[in-house]
């Protein structure tokens, strides 16, 4: 084995270790191993190093590595760099720059390029809001992109489901979601679950809804986890199964789904479908309080209602004390408060 072959293997290994550690949210290790490959000119590593820095909130470095990846031919980086300009991360908001990058991605028939370009028109970021133009772009991406039919098909499907820029049609929405689900997209599976559960444009079919929710949940989509829990808890659509419902409530809570956190905490406090476990409820509600944001209004109202319905003064007093202490230690505002001024 010559030196070039050894270097290629080493670069690949550094890239793969970066992939593994990024998926595990170990951003420090991810940056370390991606950098090794990125500095050798590997475009995929450069793009993923940009993703890692963006996830860590270091937009300046993220922007730098996306640009490097684009210069080295990464199509994915074209869209990632465009999003930086679209949302003003590491630079001022510049929809025109974003559009140029998305157009290059479209010219290469990359689906995310169609997806994000459509968003610019749908949101009126390139002038007047033009939802019809957006749908036309998404449909173009659905049927012409090389890399499968993921985001564009879902966005076009959503537009037809709710009549945004086009005549409302559950049948067309279902067709587009099915096309994306056929490519393995978890959001498409979830949307199909909703269509079958509600019987929109098709006969109501809870078994098919569960199949799609399960396919979505297995790919990590937490809204699908919540719906599975709800179906097996609610009794209205399916025979109640407490163990299945509690599994999905707790699993979704572990993955950060706010409604799952509240539901699992309620079950642990009331013992309705599981053994009472105040410690588990306490830890879950602390996770909720330190994750929820002020714009999660529905979840905040549910939390307040839970406090009024469960009469356990000692529990709530201890939770309040721990939450106050956490906010004080980290200099963070509590729910409903404005962010604290930096010293």
């Amino acid at each position: 084995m010559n030196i070039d072959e050894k270097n290629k293997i080493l670069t690949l290994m550094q890239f793969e270790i970066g992939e593994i550690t990024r998926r595990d949210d170990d951003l420090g290790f991810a940056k370390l191993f991606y950098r090794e490959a990125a500095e050798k000119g590997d475009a995929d590593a450069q793009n993923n190093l940009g993703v890692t820095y963006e996830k860590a909130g270091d937009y300046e470095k993220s922007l730098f590595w996306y640009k490097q990846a684009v210069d080295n031919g990464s199509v994915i980086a074209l869209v990632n760099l465009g999003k930086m300009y679209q949302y003003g991360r590491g630079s001022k908001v510049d929809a025109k720059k974003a559009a140029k990058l998305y157009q290059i991605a479209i010219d290469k028939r990359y689906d995310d390029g169609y997806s994000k370009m459509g968003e610019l028109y749908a949101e009126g970021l390139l002038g007047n809001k033009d939802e019809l133009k957006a749908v036309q772009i998404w449909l173009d991406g659905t049927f012409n992109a090389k890399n499968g039919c993921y985001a564009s098909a879902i966005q076009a499907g959503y537009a037809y489901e709710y009549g945004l820029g086009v005549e409302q049609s559950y049948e067309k929405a279902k067709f587009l979601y099915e096309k994306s689900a056929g490519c393995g997209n978890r959001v498409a599976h979830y949307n199909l679950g909703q269509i079958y559960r509600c019987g929109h444009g098709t006969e109501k079919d809870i078994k098919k809804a569960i199949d799609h929710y399960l396919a979505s949940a297995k790919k990590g989509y937490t809204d699908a986890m919540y719906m599975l829990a709800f179906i097996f808890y609610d009794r209205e659509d399916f025979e109640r199964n407490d163990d299945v419902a509690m599994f999905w409530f707790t699993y979704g809570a572990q993955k950060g789904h706010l409604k799952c956190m509240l539901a699992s905490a309620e079950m642990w406090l009331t013992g309705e479908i599981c053994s009472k476990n105040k410690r588990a409820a306490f830890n879950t509600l602390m996770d909720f309080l330190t994750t929820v944001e002020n714009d999660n209004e529905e979840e905040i109202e549910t939390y307040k209602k839970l406090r009024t319905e469960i009469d356990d003064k000692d529990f709530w007093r201890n939770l309040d004390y721990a939450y106050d202490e956490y906010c004080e230690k980290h200099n963070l505002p509590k729910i409903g408060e404005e962010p604290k001024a930096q010293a």
Side-chain angles (χ1 to χ4, degrees):
M1 186 182 298
N2 61 38
I3 293 175
D4 286 342
E5 289 173 329
K6 288 180 179 178
N7 285 337
K8 285 181 180 178
I9 291 172
L10 179 59
T11 298
L12 176 63
M13 184 57 64
Q14 289 163 339
F15 174 79
E16 292 300 337
I17 292 173
E19 286 282 271
I20 292 168
T21 52
R22 179 167 65 90
R23 284 195 296 269
D24 290 342
D25 282 338
D26 193 338
L27 301 184
F29 271 109
K31 285 185 281 189
L32 174 66
F33 284 99
Y34 279 143
R35 181 178 288 277
E36 293 286 338
E39 290 179 345
K40 294 174 183 174
D42 186 283
D44 288 336
Q46 290 169 339
N47 174 71
N48 288 354
L49 186 57
V51 171
T52 305
Y53 275 118
E54 184 178 359
K55 192 172 183 179
D58 192 338
Y59 297 141
E60 185 176 341
K61 288 181 180 176
S62 178
L63 196 70
F64 170 82
W65 284 109
Y66 284 148
K67 288 178 179 178
Q68 294 295 307
V70 167
D71 290 344
N72 282 306
S74 172
V75 181
I76 300 174
L78 283 166
V79 175
N80 287 338
L81 183 58
K83 288 191 288 186
M84 299 293 280
Y85 291 120
Q86 180 177 345
Y87 302 122
R89 295 173 182 162
S91 73
K92 65 179 183 180
V93 172
D94 193 330
K96 289 183 178 179
K97 271 189 179 180
K100 286 181 181 178
L101 290 160
Y102 297 153
Q103 186 59 55
I104 297 171
I106 289 172
D107 293 342
K108 296 177 182 293
R109 293 170 63 189
Y110 183 64
D111 183 63
D112 283 356
Y114 295 94
S115 170
K116 299 307 293 183
M117 182 70 89
E119 283 182 20
L120 295 181
Y121 283 99
E123 295 171 13
L125 299 178
L126 294 174
N128 293 330
K129 189 174 182 178
D130 193 339
E131 290 179 330
L132 176 59
K133 175 74 171 177
V135 175
Q136 290 170 340
I137 292 170
W138 291 330
L139 289 173
D140 190 17
T142 297
F143 296 106
N144 294 308
K146 284 182 178 179
N147 63 311
C149 41
Y150 293 100
S152 292
I154 292 171
Q155 288 163 303
Y158 187 87
Y160 277 108
E161 184 175 0
Y162 294 97
L164 304 175
V166 291
E167 184 178 351
Q168 194 273 338
S169 172
Y170 288 127
E171 290 78 8
K172 288 181 180 179
K174 180 172 172 288
F175 169 78
L176 289 160
Y177 292 150
E178 286 174 339
K179 192 167 180 62
S180 185
C183 301
N185 188 276
R186 63 185 190 173
V187 178
H189 276 296
Y190 173 79
N191 290 350
L192 284 169
Q194 295 287 78
I195 280 179
Y196 280 113
R197 184 177 69 86
C198 299
H200 286 163
T202 188
E203 186 178 349
K204 187 173 180 178
D205 191 326
I206 296 303
K207 184 183 181 303
K208 284 186 178 179
I210 290 172
D211 288 343
H212 283 292
Y213 287 140
L214 183 58
S216 179
K218 286 166 69 175
K219 291 179 176 290
Y221 198 59
T222 55
D223 282 349
M225 297 175 195
Y226 178 76
M227 287 310 306
L228 285 170
F230 182 79
I231 285 173
F232 284 96
Y233 168 75
D234 187 55
R235 274 201 186 101
E236 181 180 338
D237 292 326
F238 205 78
E239 182 178 350
R240 178 161 166 171
N241 186 300
D242 292 349
D243 290 339
V244 172
M246 194 61 189
F247 170 81
W248 285 113
F249 278 142
T250 55
Y251 192 66
Q254 290 168 12
K255 298 296 182 181
H257 193 275
L258 296 175
K259 289 182 179 179
C260 283
M261 290 180 184
L262 292 169
S264 56
E266 181 180 358
M267 297 305 122
W268 276 317
L269 286 170
T270 62
E272 181 182 349
I273 64 173
C274 63
S275 299
K276 287 188 177 182
N277 189 333
K278 285 189 180 182
R279 173 51 57 186
F282 183 94
N283 291 337
T284 301
L285 287 174
M286 272 299 293
D287 287 341
F288 171 82
L289 290 168
T290 55
T291 303
V292 69
E293 297 180 356
N294 283 335
D295 58 358
N296 301 126
E297 295 178 3
E298 182 182 350
E299 289 80 3
I300 291 172
E301 286 305 309
T302 301
Y303 169 72
K304 290 178 179 178
K305 184 179 178 183
L306 184 64
R307 291 185 66 116
T308 62
E309 291 179 346
I310 296 178
D311 184 19
D312 190 330
K313 293 183 175 61
D314 288 340
F315 178 85
W316 296 117
R317 183 168 52 249
N318 290 335
L319 182 66
D320 289 341
Y321 178 80
Y323 180 47
D324 289 346
E325 192 175 56
Y326 177 90
C327 292
E328 187 68 28
K329 179 180 178 181
H330 297 279
N331 195 34
L332 294 172
K334 292 187 286 187
I335 292 175
E337 292 182 347
E338 293 296 322
K340 294 184 177 181
Q342 297 297 314

